[in-house]
Amino acid sequence: MALKASHGAAYSRVEGIGAAIPSRVVDNHEMTQYIETSDEWIQQRTGIVERRWAAEHETVESLSMDAARRAIERAGLTPADIDAVIVSTVSHMLQTPSLAAIIAAKLGTDGAAAFDISAACAGFSYGLAQADALVRTGAARHVVVIGAETLSKITDLSDRGTAFLFADGAGAAVVGPSDVPSMGPVVWGSDGEQADVINMSRDWHQAVEEGQPSQITMQGQAVFRWATGFIADAARRTLEASGLTPDELDLFVPHQANNRITDSMLRHLKLPETVTVARTIKHFGNNSAASIPIAIDAMLASGEAKSGDTCLIIGFGAGLVYAGQVITIP
């Protein structure tokens, strides 16, 4: 008796992108109410002019739903076509049930497989890698990948090093079968030796016992060194793995962590001026796992990106973890 193995499509592709942006705009002037800073200082250090925070009626769940619905519609599909839902988030406050299971049900999928992942700012790329594998092994035909965060709810507004950085939002992509290569190999990894560089101030049990919230902490200089050195090289390796040269690239969409980090990556990669670079951090801030799909959605809306463009993406963050691919814009 021979054991049967699953077989799927030869290749996968991103079929649709969607985003959900919170309604509350928080400019740098408002940040001066919480920390000793200035609009000029924040812009010079990060490139951020304003960020979006979830209003009272907006949650990580509602933002995820809105982004997923838009991605599914733009892919020309219905929720019943979705076989799996993957959500990357660090701000779903329940250990269980998964946010993905809730989303799968509320979207109206036919009992789609559903699970959450915790890969922080690299989470969207991690999710794409898993969706690619599911489609190409035949475990699923269409997968929704969501990066969603309400980081404002776990940000220490008295911390001058992080309060102005973090923001909220959700972005989603539908991944499905393709007849031609449309998603390059993932280049990913981790460095748990630096786990304390970005973490939570206390675990949930401690938070309850001590009556203090668990909030994001970050050693900014350590993250900056890692991102401008190791991650810049990981971006180069990602492009090499795709088989493309810098001249064949149309877009570069790194995680929107800091414009100075993006500038350093550009110097390392030596990308030609013809490559359009995402700078959506200016108006949206750092929304972790959601930043890459939000950036792509915004660039499509502005005309900076178009269907068929080749796009290098790379995410990096707490763990420390990173992941990147070259994708074709749907």
Side-chain angles (χ1 to χ4, degrees):
M1 181 179 68
L3 182 67
K4 290 184 178 180
S6 61
H7 300 282
Y11 310 106
S12 73
R13 67 185 179 99
V14 176
E15 300 176 303
I17 292 276
I21 308 300
S23 56
R24 183 183 171 193
V25 179
V26 179
D27 62 17
N28 289 341
H29 176 71
E30 181 173 340
M31 294 309 304
T32 65
Q33 301 175 28
Y34 311 119
I35 54 175
E36 183 181 343
T37 189
S38 68
D39 173 59
E40 181 182 18
W41 188 88
I42 293 173
Q43 288 201 49
Q44 286 179 346
R45 302 281 292 185
T46 67
I48 298 173
V49 173
E50 60 189 18
R51 73 282 298 141
R52 296 296 186 100
W53 286 358
E56 288 296 323
H57 67 282
E58 294 166 325
T59 66
V60 69
E61 179 185 313
S62 69
L63 293 168
S64 295
M65 289 288 295
D66 289 347
R69 285 189 179 117
R70 288 170 184 145
I72 292 168
E73 180 180 351
R74 289 169 181 171
L77 302 171
T78 69
D81 296 314
I82 303 303
D83 304 304
V85 177
I86 302 170
V87 177
S88 176
T89 183
V90 297
S91 47
H92 174 53
M93 295 296 103
L94 297 177
Q95 189 73 21
T96 193
S98 70
L99 180 58
I102 295 169
I103 298 301
K106 291 192 173 182
L107 280 175
T109 69
D110 187 17
F115 59 96
D116 292 354
I117 59 175
S118 178
C121 306
F124 181 71
S125 286
Y126 265 64
L128 285 186
Q130 293 175 66
D132 170 58
L134 291 173
V135 169
R136 292 193 296 113
T137 60
R141 183 167 176 81
H142 301 287
V143 182
V144 172
V145 177
I146 303 168
E149 303 291 2
T150 49
L151 295 180
S152 64
K153 301 181 186 301
I154 55 174
T155 296
D156 181 356
L157 292 183
S158 67
D159 180 5
R160 190 170 184 266
T162 61
F164 58 88
L165 279 173
F166 297 121
D168 306 337
V174 176
V175 177
S178 175
D179 294 329
V180 297
S182 300
M183 187 182 303
V186 65
V187 172
W188 57 355
S190 66
D191 181 6
E193 294 294 327
Q194 298 193 72
D196 62 340
V197 170
I198 311 173
N199 60 16
M200 301 298 290
S201 58
R202 50 183 56 83
D203 64 37
W204 301 125
H205 181 67
Q206 287 177 309
V208 171
E209 283 195 333
E210 298 172 10
Q212 296 291 331
S214 184
Q215 298 171 314
I216 301 172
T217 69
M218 183 174 70
Q219 299 173 32
Q221 287 301 315
V223 174
F224 188 85
R225 288 193 298 270
W226 178 66
T228 55
F230 183 85
I231 298 304
D233 186 64
R236 178 190 57 77
R237 290 187 283 116
T238 301
L239 184 58
E240 289 177 352
S242 75
L244 300 181
T245 66
D247 290 337
E248 295 174 293
L249 203 61
D250 298 305
L251 308 171
F252 178 42
V253 183
H255 163 51
Q256 298 295 285
N258 186 312
N259 264 346
R260 292 165 63 210
I261 291 175
T262 298
D263 289 340
S264 177
M265 287 186 176
L266 288 173
R267 290 192 295 271
H268 187 88
L269 290 168
K270 296 180 173 60
L271 298 181
E273 293 184 359
T274 54
V275 176
T276 303
V277 181
R279 302 281 188 178
T280 51
I281 191 173
K282 179 177 181 179
H283 296 294
F284 298 143
N286 175 347
N287 24 47
S288 189
S291 79
I292 290 174
I294 284 176
I296 294 173
D297 181 78
M299 293 171 81
L300 282 167
S302 68
E304 293 177 283
K306 63 183 185 300
S307 177
D309 282 350
T310 55
C311 176
L312 169 62
I313 65 175
I314 188 159
F316 49 92
L320 293 169
V321 296
Y322 66 93
Q325 302 100 331
V326 173
I327 64 172
T328 300
I329 298 296

